[in-house]
Amino acid sequence: MSSTSYQHPLPEVLIAGAGLGGLLMAILLDKIGIPYRILERASQVKALGAVMSLGPHIMPVFEQLGILDDLLKISIKCTSMNLLDESLKPMGSIKMDGQKDMTGYESVLFIRPELTQILLSKVPTSKILLNKQVVTIEDHPEEERVTVHCADGSSYQAALLIGADGTYSSVRQSLYKTLDEKGLLPKEDTKELEVGFACIVGTTGPMDPEKFPVLKDDYGHFDSIIGGVRHNWGACNINNNRFTWGMNLQFTTEAEAKKERFANAEWGPEASTAEMLKEFLDRPCPFSGAKMRDIVEATPPELISKVYHEHKLYETWYHGRTVLIGDACHKLLPASGMGATNAFQDVVVLANCLFDLEDASSKSITAAFQSYYSQRYEKARTAYNASLLMSKIMAGQTWSDRLIRTIFLNYLPHWVQQAELQKTAGYRPQIMFLPLAPTRGTVAPDPQPKCGRYVPPPLVAPS
């Protein structure tokens, strides 16, 4: 399908945020033929952070867009996550070895900035307006438009606004303020994010494979160590002879978490990073008898970031001509590796709904938003709950976390884990206005609503 095959009724869309979700949204709007602009609050599109994971639940979309090979080039496959105690004695593993048989795809590990560059290369730079911090939004239903006011005094209008501006979304805050004043905001949405962990992450430069033989392997050793009273740390080999690593401090009381909330920041280097690092430098690295300082000191300072791992599932995802995606409406803890996947799934489902718009009226847009929400909310809630459970297993240090981890690793049969994988393996939403990726694996994709305007042929499976 060509983006010029028909005139789409939506005249223009504003996207707040040039993160992963915002960039993928831009790519799909371009495929549909909907004009758009991205309002990015930073002075440049620069993704910090470290290891990320994507797998079967979104890879068909990358295949549809012709960028799956690009993703695989920056990635290393991952079939398990291994837990160790502080003496490096294995505590157990979480296996993902059945994914390829079920879906035809494996989970892979890579670093966030490199995926950002892949998506960014598909979006014209002229479409991204920098230094555009959203301050307030105004809905004008009678004029069929929404106005966005930015901190620099500029304003922009469009038929629709997509809030892809992350955990501390200015779009969400402005939308919720308006709804709260009208008595339309659910009580749950007035509560703050819950803070679970303080985290420091980084990615090394190239290291010596002779000193660290795991770098020679073509799969990722994702090893996480539980130690101390509230400490958790680990590392993983990735492509180009590098390690990506992370160190977590768990907040064990609500008072402690509230205190940290005032110090919250986005991804980025902070003065407090050095102080927290001191608690981890002399702890064992899971590879080659090294200490964590050996890989921290091999990490460029600009690639070390500190963040607070928070979580919340919001009830309100849209109102009027504004809709939220990704972390702006569901912030998952990272242990499950499903945060980016769920943001991308939001984008895919929302794009399908926008593709089928009959006109740009408030009635049609509300119907599209309702369809998006109905398809995504329960899936996001399932992923959110899974992220809470995985955080307890992979990093939790309270007595209840330890109990859950012991039961999961020692008493839960492997076939139960596989059954859980199979239960969710079918949810692999695709872009319904592009040729569909071939069906692979033993678990068929879940049915999706068809786009009324276009029935795409399947992609031809590679020989």
Side-chain angles (χ1 to χ4, degrees):
M1 175 222 165
S2 162
S3 62
T4 58
S5 60
Y6 76 100
Q7 184 65 42
H8 195 276
L10 205 58
E12 186 177 21
V13 167
L14 290 173
I15 303 170
L20 296 176
L23 293 173
L24 183 63
M25 191 79 245
I27 293 168
L28 297 196
L29 290 179
D30 192 54
K31 296 289 184 184
I32 298 173
I34 299 175
Y36 66 89
R37 286 178 288 180
I38 300 177
L39 305 179
E40 168 55 42
R41 61 186 165 199
S43 59
Q44 60 179 315
V45 180
K46 182 181 179 182
L48 294 170
V51 69
M52 284 183 60
S53 174
L54 289 177
H57 302 95
I58 199 61
M59 280 189 176
V61 169
F62 281 68
E63 188 171 2
Q64 286 183 284
L65 293 173
I67 57 176
L68 180 58
D69 286 344
D70 295 328
L71 172 66
L72 296 179
K73 285 176 185 176
I74 65 168
S75 304
I76 191 165
K77 65 184 178 182
C78 179
T79 58
S80 68
M81 296 183 289
N82 308 308
L83 275 171
L84 315 171
D85 64 19
E86 196 161 3
S87 66
L88 302 187
K89 179 182 177 181
M91 299 171 67
S93 296
I94 297 173
K95 303 289 187 181
M96 298 171 286
D97 51 342
Q99 282 188 333
K100 188 167 186 179
D101 288 340
M102 294 178 196
T103 67
Y105 304 91
E106 293 179 300
S107 288
V108 296
L109 300 169
F110 53 90
I111 61 170
R112 187 185 193 96
E114 293 180 356
L115 176 58
T116 299
Q117 286 304 312
I118 290 173
L119 298 182
L120 191 59
S121 70
K122 308 298 180 184
V123 179
T125 55
S126 61
K127 295 286 191 178
I128 304 175
L129 308 183
L130 301 173
N131 295 306
K132 297 299 178 182
Q133 170 70 53
V134 175
V135 177
T136 58
I137 58 177
E138 294 180 81
D139 208 309
H140 310 281
E142 68 287 347
E143 300 174 33
E144 297 187 344
R145 62 182 173 87
V146 60
T147 301
V148 177
H149 301 282
C150 299
D152 63 358
S154 59
S155 297
Y156 300 88
Q157 293 186 348
L160 190 151
L161 169 64
I162 299 173
D165 49 343
T167 308
Y168 313 111
S169 169
S170 298
V171 172
R172 184 188 67 238
Q173 291 173 32
S174 179
L175 179 66
Y176 280 15
K177 183 175 184 292
T178 299
L179 292 175
D180 199 24
E181 290 171 350
K182 295 179 179 180
L184 299 176
L185 190 67
K187 184 178 179 180
E188 187 62 31
D189 286 343
T190 65
K191 298 177 182 178
E192 295 178 311
L193 291 144
E194 295 186 50
V195 183
F197 300 85
C199 179
I200 300 176
V201 298
T203 301
T204 70
M207 301 188 73
D208 184 0
E210 298 306 319
K211 184 177 179 180
F212 296 94
V214 296
L215 294 172
K216 300 177 182 179
D217 292 340
D218 62 354
Y219 61 94
H221 296 262
F222 191 104
D223 290 358
S224 185
I225 299 170
I226 304 286
V229 177
R230 57 190 186 119
H231 299 79
N232 160 250
W233 66 96
C236 178
N237 57 303
I238 54 171
N239 65 336
N240 298 329
N241 292 330
R242 296 173 297 170
F243 287 109
T244 181
W245 52 269
M247 303 169 174
N248 299 308
L249 277 176
Q250 184 178 24
F251 302 125
T252 55
T253 67
E254 182 62 27
E256 188 179 26
K258 284 184 177 180
K259 180 181 177 182
E260 289 292 337
R261 188 175 285 122
F262 290 106
N264 245 337
E266 294 285 357
W267 287 101
E270 298 181 10
S272 60
T273 300
E275 193 63 32
M276 182 173 158
L277 275 175
K278 290 179 183 178
E279 299 190 41
F280 291 92
L281 292 178
D282 291 321
R283 295 178 183 270
C285 171
F287 306 121
S288 303
K291 299 290 187 182
M292 288 302 294
R293 70 166 63 249
D294 295 322
I295 60 173
V296 172
E297 291 174 355
T299 303
E302 66 273 15
L303 296 183
I304 298 177
S305 304
K306 181 178 179 181
V307 74
Y308 295 92
H309 285 166
E310 300 168 306
H311 59 94
K312 186 171 176 62
L313 175 63
Y314 293 92
E315 299 293 320
T316 305
W317 290 21
Y318 67 91
H319 184 79
R321 290 176 175 266
T322 299
V323 63
L324 305 174
I325 63 172
D327 287 353
C329 53
H330 47 71
K331 173 60 176 173
L332 277 60
L333 289 172
S336 66
M338 290 294 288
T341 292
N342 273 264
F344 288 151
Q345 290 172 339
D346 288 350
V347 171
V348 170
V349 173
L350 178 59
N352 287 338
C353 294
L354 295 181
F355 179 84
D356 248 3
L357 278 174
E358 294 183 2
D359 54 47
S361 67
S362 296
K363 180 180 178 181
S364 291
I365 287 175
T366 297
F369 289 172
Q370 287 173 340
S371 179
Y372 156 65
Y373 183 82
S374 67
Q375 292 180 60
R376 284 293 304 142
Y377 179 79
E378 287 301 326
K379 298 296 185 182
R381 184 171 72 166
T382 298
Y384 174 77
N385 289 335
S387 79
L388 297 182
L389 175 61
M390 286 300 296
S391 287
K392 293 177 183 293
I393 294 169
M394 295 297 295
Q397 292 282 35
T398 67
W399 71 267
S400 59
D401 294 342
R402 292 175 185 274
L403 178 61
I404 291 171
R405 180 163 52 245
T406 298
I407 293 172
F408 188 89
L409 295 178
N410 296 287
Y411 299 102
L412 195 67
H414 180 60
W415 68 264
V416 176
Q417 292 186 38
Q418 294 298 100
E420 286 301 310
L421 277 177
Q422 183 158 354
K423 197 182 298 183
T424 59
Y427 188 62
R428 311 195 292 271
Q430 294 196 44
I431 307 162
M432 298 304 288
F433 50 87
L434 293 180
L436 299 178
T439 297
R440 297 187 172 89
T442 59
V443 179
D446 293 346
Q448 282 184 255
K450 306 297 183 187
C451 285
R453 295 179 181 273
Y454 176 70
V455 179
L459 289 176
V460 177
S463 57

